[in-house]
């Protein structure tokens, strides 16, 4: 729904998009492009969370001589920024394949003399591997990282507003003298952080989706700034908030589960290390 609302044509609102998608492509349409993100999400999440937590530990060691020292706001800001860069490096090819697979059956409404020989409305790619290989062969490495600039502008501030609110909310909800927040506090803090992050990141998420969807049939945008200008000129300022409800509503449960799984996994591993240590 998010991709179709942001980069597709003819959807008035979220409900209209949902009904149109179901009517034209049945239930299977809601799961297009799922396999590639599903196969890579473990590596992606572990790298992003690992960079964030280890950067904080390193800064704590350098500043205070103690890696377990609670991080200051500048430390969290730097750690979140580095996590955003890692997110772009790993996530751009995954998002590109996902969006190309989700958008390849969309009707093409823009006349263009540079249309590709593929017929709009019919599948161009047979699956994620074929999509990745085709883009790499025709467009090279720059094609695989198409939209990386927009994704960087989305993920760096997005992760700052993801990790920092989560940390602050967890600290606020942890009783004085407590070692760690309760699972319910983690769940609420993670969900709130996810909703805040995605609400703020939606404008650049729209731009990223449009740039990455561009190229299935058309080559409409020359870059991030050109996409922003064309989108604004054609559809006004409101275009940058397409899909914000889907992003925000989805962001809460996804982030809640992510942070809760992360914290519980850390506790389990620490407990295992304590039990096995002499």
């Amino acid at each position: 729904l998010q991709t179709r609302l942001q980069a597709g044509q003819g959807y008035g609102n979220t409900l209209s998009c949902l009904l149109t998608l179901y009517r034209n492509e049945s239930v299977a349409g809601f799961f297009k492009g799922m396999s590639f993100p599903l196969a890579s999400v473990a590596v992606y999440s572990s790298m992003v969370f690992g960079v964030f937590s280890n950067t904080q530990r390193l800064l704590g060691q350098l500043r205070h001589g103690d890696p377990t020292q609670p991080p200051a706001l500048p430390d969290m800001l730097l750690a979140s920024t580095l996590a955003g860069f890692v997110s772009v490096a790993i996530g751009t090819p995954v998002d590109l394949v996902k969006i190309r697979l989700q958008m390849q059956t969309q009707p093409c409404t823009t006349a263009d003399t540079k249309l590709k020989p593929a017929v709009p409305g019919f599948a161009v790619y047979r699956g994620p591997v074929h999509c990745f290989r085709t883009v790499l062969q025709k467009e090279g490495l720059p094609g695989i990282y198409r939209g990386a600039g927009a994704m960087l502008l989305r993920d760096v501030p997005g992760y700052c507003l993801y990790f920092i609110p989560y940390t602050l909310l967890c600290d606020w909800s942890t009783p004085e003298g407590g070692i760690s927040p309760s699972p319910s506090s983690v769940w609420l803090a993670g969900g709130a952080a996810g909703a805040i992050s995605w609400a703020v990141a939606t404008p650049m998420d729209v731009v990223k989706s449009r740039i990455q969807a561009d190229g299935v049939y058309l080559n409409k945008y020359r870059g991030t700034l050109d996409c922003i200008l064309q989108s604004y000129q054609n559809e006004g300022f409101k275009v940058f908030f397409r899909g914000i409800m889907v992003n925000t509503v989805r962001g809460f449960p996804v982030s809640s589960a992510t942070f809760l799984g992360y914290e519980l996994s850390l506790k389990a591993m620490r407990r295992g290390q304590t039990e096995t240590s002499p």
Side-chain angles (χ1 to χ4, degrees), residues 108-227:
C108 179
T109 59
T110 306
D112 196 304
T113 57
K114 297 180 180 179
L115 277 172
K116 296 185 177 182
V119 179
F122 293 88
V124 178
Y125 311 112
R126 296 191 296 271
V129 176
H130 179 251
C131 177
F132 185 90
R133 188 171 62 244
T134 301
V135 174
L136 188 61
Q137 288 174 347
K138 293 185 176 180
E139 304 175 46
L141 196 60
I144 292 296
Y145 278 90
R146 187 181 182 91
M151 191 169 180
L152 191 67
L153 293 173
R154 182 197 74 172
D155 281 8
V156 169
Y159 274 113
C160 289
L161 292 171
Y162 186 65
F163 287 116
I164 294 175
Y166 169 75
T167 303
L168 296 177
L169 288 169
C170 281
D171 290 343
W172 176 75
S173 62
T174 302
E176 189 173 349
I179 299 174
S180 61
S182 65
S184 60
S185 297
V186 170
W187 189 86
L188 287 171
I196 292 168
S197 174
W198 273 110
V200 174
T202 293
M204 288 313 302
D205 191 44
V206 172
V207 175
K208 181 199 73 72
S209 295
R210 291 188 162 210
I211 292 173
Q212 291 185 324
D214 188 40
V216 178
Y217 303 113
L218 299 170
N219 287 294
K220 185 177 179 182
Y221 306 118
R222 295 189 298 272
T224 301
L225 181 59
D226 184 53
C227 180

Side-chain angles (χ1 to χ4, degrees), residues 73-115:
L73 184 59
D75 296 347
M76 289 190 288
L77 190 63
L78 178 57
S80 301
T81 300
L82 291 177
F85 276 93
V86 170
S87 168
V88 173
I90 300 173
T92 302
V94 176
D95 269 18
L96 178 85
V97 171
K98 179 194 72 172
I99 287 174
R100 290 287 178 95
L101 291 173
Q102 290 173 343
M103 293 300 296
Q104 64 175 337
T105 56
Q106 289 297 282
C108 179
T109 59
T110 306
D112 196 304
T113 57
K114 297 180 180 179
L115 277 172

